[in-house]
Amino acid sequence: MLKCAMYFLTFLMLIASITIFIFSCIKRQKRKTNIIAGAYFAIIVTNWILLDNGIVDIGWDMLLIAPMSVIAIAFLIAGVIIANGKKMGKEKEVKASVAIISIIVPMLIFLVPFIYEASVLNRCSYLVTYNYQNGIITSDYYYIAIADDKAVSITLDNEFWGRKSTYSQAPYTQENAYHIKVADNGTETVEKLSGEADYSSEIFAVYENVKKKFPTITDMHITYLAEEQSAIFTVRYIDNRAAYKEYFCHGDKLKEIKIPGNIYSIDYFE
């Protein structure tokens, strides 16, 4: 959400800067043009700095964002110079309401998703990081925050935000990982893959809840989040075809996790 908002803000500022430049060439607009241009300049630079410092994971996208930001700044500066340099004709004032709205809207585009994701990150009990790799170039990170017994997709990077976790786990090593295999005769086998404590009964309870939705389960890989009595699992089932899907489960509540890649780390916050 925040990542998309900041990308959109970059594009919006480019369009707005070009618009200011065009109107400065057509009409003599000085005072409010300076105010709007100054605000946009601050927004562009702030957005650029935050992205460059890793507020969200953008990877190679900075190669596109940086030129767009530079072009936007160039149009802003040119527009202000033209607007202030015109001596002829009556000055055409921008309405105060239009000027205020044109400044507030871009700020809200950033602030609303930022405040929301920061709030989720501040109160979440788990932060699950996914990593998607495609070849040797693409390596993107995605985040699922477990807050209020729900799995929420966020893009605000916790390393940038700075909340300290109680502990961090690498996948398939320290966390409680289990595998359930369903035989052709319907017999279920729970296999513990990692973790010191035994949560086999809790894992089987997760399986029973999931089975209500997917009665043709053939196997499940489950990561149990012990402190919240929740689980993230990959399920394979047969319903005219084989399919793999990943879900978050708390009690009888299931939510599909539509994120590419695999679990990279799990951070717990007390």
Side-chain angles (χ1 to χ4, degrees), residues 51-89:
L51 287 171
D52 190 48
N53 282 272
I55 188 172
V56 295
D57 179 53
I58 61 173
W60 294 96
D61 292 347
M62 199 64 191
L63 295 177
L64 179 62
I65 290 171
M68 289 177 65
S69 300
V70 170
I71 293 171
I73 291 173
F75 272 110
L76 275 181
I77 294 174
V80 169
I81 292 175
I82 293 172
N84 286 271
K86 283 188 174 182
K87 302 295 183 181
M88 298 175 61

Side-chain angles (χ1 to χ4, degrees), residues 190-252:
V190 180
E191 178 187 3
K192 181 180 177 182
L193 301 179
S194 64
E196 296 180 0
D198 186 6
Y199 295 102
S200 297
S201 59
E202 288 85 352
I203 294 299
F204 196 77
V206 172
Y207 166 75
E208 289 294 327
N209 281 327
V210 175
K211 190 177 179 180
K212 296 175 184 177
K213 182 176 179 64
F214 303 110
T216 58
I217 291 175
T218 58
D219 62 76
M220 292 176 60
H221 187 281
I222 304 174
T223 297
Y224 189 62
L225 308 177
E227 286 82 357
E228 293 296 321
Q229 298 179 335
S230 303
I232 293 176
F233 63 89
T234 302
V235 60
R236 182 176 186 269
Y237 59 91
I238 299 177
D239 185 7
N240 298 324
R241 62 185 180 86
Y244 288 91
K245 289 187 177 181
E246 190 164 55
Y247 289 84
F248 168 76
C249 173
H250 181 82
D252 58 355

Side-chain angles (χ1 to χ4, degrees), residues 117-153:
E117 292 200 6
S119 173
V120 171
L121 194 52
N122 273 333
R123 70 176 189 271
C124 74
S125 53
Y126 285 94
L127 181 66
V128 185
T129 303
Y130 288 77
N131 178 244
Y132 171 74
Q133 294 190 354
N134 186 4
I136 61 174
I137 297 178
T138 302
S139 181
D140 297 324
Y141 291 92
Y142 302 87
Y143 308 98
I144 290 290
I146 310 300
D148 304 325
D149 302 329
K150 298 178 181 178
V152 181
S153 176

Side-chain angles (χ1 to χ4, degrees), residues 23-95:
F23 274 91
S24 296
C25 293
I26 297 174
K27 298 178 180 179
R28 186 170 182 258
Q29 298 173 327
K30 184 176 179 182
R31 187 175 60 185
K32 291 190 175 69
T33 298
N34 291 343
I35 296 174
I36 296 173
Y40 283 2
F41 179 85
I43 291 171
I44 293 168
V45 172
T46 301
N47 191 60
W48 185 0
I49 291 174
L50 290 174
L51 287 171
D52 190 48
N53 282 272
I55 188 172
V56 295
D57 179 53
I58 61 173
W60 294 96
D61 292 347
M62 199 64 191
L63 295 177
L64 179 62
I65 290 171
M68 289 177 65
S69 300
V70 170
I71 293 171
I73 291 173
F75 272 110
L76 275 181
I77 294 174
V80 169
I81 292 175
I82 293 172
N84 286 271
K86 283 188 174 182
K87 302 295 183 181
M88 298 175 61
K90 184 179 178 180
E91 182 172 343
K92 179 68 175 180
E93 279 287 354
V94 179
K95 291 183 179 180

